[in-house]
Amino acid sequence: MEAALSVAGNSYAPYSRFRVASAVRDDRGRIFVGVNVENASYGLTTCAERVAIFNAVTHGARRIREVLVLAMDSAEPIPPCGACLQVIAEFADGDPVIYMVSAKTWKHRIARLSQLLTSPFGLRSEE
């Protein structure tokens, strides 16, 4: 939570005014952060969760165990979008815990990736 809060002010959300920060923990206990970054071409907007995961991958992480989604401007906690869930699945270490928190009310929700994304797709190893 502290890591996400420390970068929340860097969110770039001039269009939606909906700021989000995220922190992910990898299998080595390292924490990586990200914020949402909007673009006038809205399809090019990137969610905070993906920024945090891409930051982790940039630093050599490949297995994510926990994800925090911190909604700065919502009274309710918000889940990751479908694209973020699929990226979490790509780098999941088992069935990661996803913490969703509202910074306005401190309401929270906790779920496993498997509860939010029931049919992820990806490479299947032959065993």
Side-chain angles (χ1 to χ4, degrees):
M1 183 71 74
E2 288 177 18
L5 281 170
S6 75
V7 298
N10 296 333
S11 170
Y12 181 74
Y15 305 102
S16 70
R17 306 250 187 263
F18 193 83
R19 299 168 300 143
V20 180
S22 182
V24 299
R25 185 185 317 271
D26 74 355
D27 60 341
R28 293 174 22 196
R30 298 178 298 170
I31 296 173
F32 302 92
V33 294
V35 296
N36 60 321
V37 180
E38 294 182 349
N39 188 278
S41 172
Y42 206 70
L44 296 177
T45 292
T46 305
C47 299
E49 301 93 296
R50 282 182 278 156
V51 172
I53 291 169
F54 298 158
N55 184 20
V57 170
T58 298
H59 288 90
R62 293 294 184 268
R63 308 302 335 149
I64 300 299
R65 289 198 174 158
E66 297 177 296
V67 177
L68 168 72
V69 182
L70 181 63
M72 303 305 294
D73 302 305
S74 172
E76 297 296 323
I78 58 165
C81 73
C84 288
L85 290 170
Q86 182 58 46
V87 170
I88 293 167
E90 181 75 20
F91 295 100
D93 185 26
D95 193 12
V97 176
I98 300 174
Y99 304 93
M100 298 154 276
V101 180
S102 160
K104 283 182 123 176
T105 62
W106 298 112
K107 288 182 183 178
H108 65 279
R109 179 176 170 214
I110 301 170
R112 291 278 182 178
L113 176 62
S114 62
Q115 295 173 288
L116 301 175
L117 182 65
T118 58
S119 299
F121 58 92
L123 296 173
R124 300 286 183 227
S125 62
E126 294 181 24
E127 296 182 33

